[in-house]
Structures are given as C-alpha cells and as structure tokens.
Amino acid sequence: MPATDTPVTATSVTQTLHARRSVRAFADRRVDPALLKTIFAAAQRAPSGGNLQPWQATLVTGEPWQAVKDAVAARTAMGREGYEPEYDIYPKGLTEPWEARRFGVGEALYASLGIPREDKRGRLAQFMDNYRGFGAPVMLFLHCSRIMGPPQWSDMGMWLQSVMLLLVEHGLASCPQECWAMYGATIRRTLGLDDGQILFTGLAIGYADEDAAVNQWAVPRAPIEDVIDWQGF
C-alpha cells in the first residue's frame, strides 16, 4: 500500500460499520488523490453478478466540481421546471414503516441544527446545501450504462458501500446523495457523459468537520426483529 499522510483509523469491519455515517459538514482540507486511488483499487473487490462490474464513476474536484455546482444551481433556480429526474428516488405512495423512518430521520437532522418545522426558509437552505456537497472537496458521481437492470444497480450499491467503508478505514468521510439524480441530464452534460449513461447517485468525499452539530446526532436503525424472519433456528 502506498504511503500517505492519513493513517488507517479502523481495525475491523464492525468498527468501520459503526463509524460510518452520512456526513453533512466537511472540513476545508485537501484529499490526497493517491489515497483515493488506493481506496478505489480495493473497492474493485466488491461482488457483482457474473463479474459484470457495472459501476462507472466520475470523480471531480476543483474547477470541474465547481462547474457541476454552478450548472445545477442554475437549474434549481428554475424551481420544479428545472427538474430532470433520472428515476424516482422514493417509491410513490410510500407506506409504513418506511414513511415513518424517512420522516423521522429528516426531523432528527433539522433538530440537530435547531431548525423548527415552521422555519421553511431555514429548512430549504439546509436542503440546498446538498447541491454544494456540504462543503466536500471531492464529489463522486456514480453512473452506469442504461442497458443495466435492477441486479446491476444492486451491484453498484455493493461497490458504493465498499467505497464508503474504505473511506472510513482511512480516516475520510462521505455522504451518499441520490438528490443529484434530480438533475441527471444537467450533470451528465457537464461531465461529458453521453445519453447511454444513467446517473445513480453522488458521493461527497472529504474529512468530516467533527465539531459540526449536524455530524453528531444519533441516526436510528430498526431492530433486527423488524427485518429478519428467523426460520428453522
């Protein structure tokens, strides 16, 4: 493994899983590209059906990253007319228990920032910070060929999880952001991707601002009894 100025900070899969969270405030600190290459090389061990490895990613920083932010800002200024969704991020008619989980995590996030429900402007401003990557110096855009189907999308998810855990192992942080898919065509044009590609998600990458309140609230998880049906044990 090439030497870097960033030490490995997690020593087991369990520790890394517990340490990983979606970070929504990043420190103003450069990320070593050599370290990222090491991480992505390791992530190539992620499994995929038939070894298709359908994931493709475009990594941006500096001026290219700013160009994406500027292009999307122009679309968000158009309101709903600016939407160019690649897919439905959440199912239409979402029912329980999933709707309660989605609502609950949103309320907990705003509570950590002291933004009450009646402060619509404050909540909108916080949401729009998504499209600045929460200050992350690096953004990964994950995409694949449009010929790929649901099994290959699940492969992309396994690759993405591998990347996120490896980032934690090396002292970095991330935030997966499907919200970028709301402006998929704009991002694809800005990145020079052809229409044969579909944008899945963004992944903000950097070093966490450890003092930010938005990075400190506890994110709940359902108990295993709610998701595992034990048969024959």
Side-chain angles (χ1 to χ4, degrees), residues 136-201:
V138 176
M139 179 62 68
L140 179 151
F141 289 105
L142 181 58
H143 46 93
C144 70
S145 169
R146 288 186 185 273
I147 70 171
M148 299 300 173
Q152 288 75 51
W153 280 59
S154 72
D155 293 342
M156 283 198 293
M158 288 189 283
W159 181 83
L160 189 68
Q161 172 80 327
S162 300
V163 170
M164 290 189 290
L165 294 179
L166 287 161
L167 288 166
V168 171
E169 181 186 20
H170 290 277
L172 287 155
S174 65
C175 184
Q177 295 182 275
E178 291 176 315
C179 63
W180 292 100
M182 292 299 297
Y183 301 97
T186 294
I187 293 169
R188 284 187 280 106
R189 286 193 298 269
T190 307
L191 297 179
L193 302 176
D194 62 44
D195 291 338
Q197 293 284 303
I198 183 169
L199 179 69
F200 171 27
T201 188

Side-chain angles (χ1 to χ4, degrees), residues 34-102:
L35 177 58
L36 292 175
K37 289 180 181 179
T38 297
I39 288 168
F40 292 129
Q44 284 301 104
R45 299 303 304 169
S48 60
N51 200 32
L52 294 188
Q53 304 169 68
W55 49 81
Q56 295 177 264
T58 300
L59 207 65
V60 293
T61 192
E63 291 183 5
W65 178 205
Q66 188 61 51
V68 173
K69 288 184 281 188
D70 291 345
V72 171
R75 299 296 298 189
T76 61
M78 298 168 63
R80 291 186 178 273
E81 292 183 3
Y83 289 170
E84 300 172 303
E86 297 280 72
Y87 58 89
D88 291 329
I89 294 176
Y90 298 106
K92 291 182 171 64
L94 193 63
T95 58
E96 300 300 344
W98 306 287
E99 178 60 20
R101 293 173 186 167
R102 180 187 175 193

Side-chain angles (χ1 to χ4, degrees), residues 124-138:
L124 178 60
Q126 172 60 30
F127 178 78
M128 294 307 295
D129 203 27
N130 274 283
Y131 297 113
R132 292 181 286 273
F134 303 114
V138 176

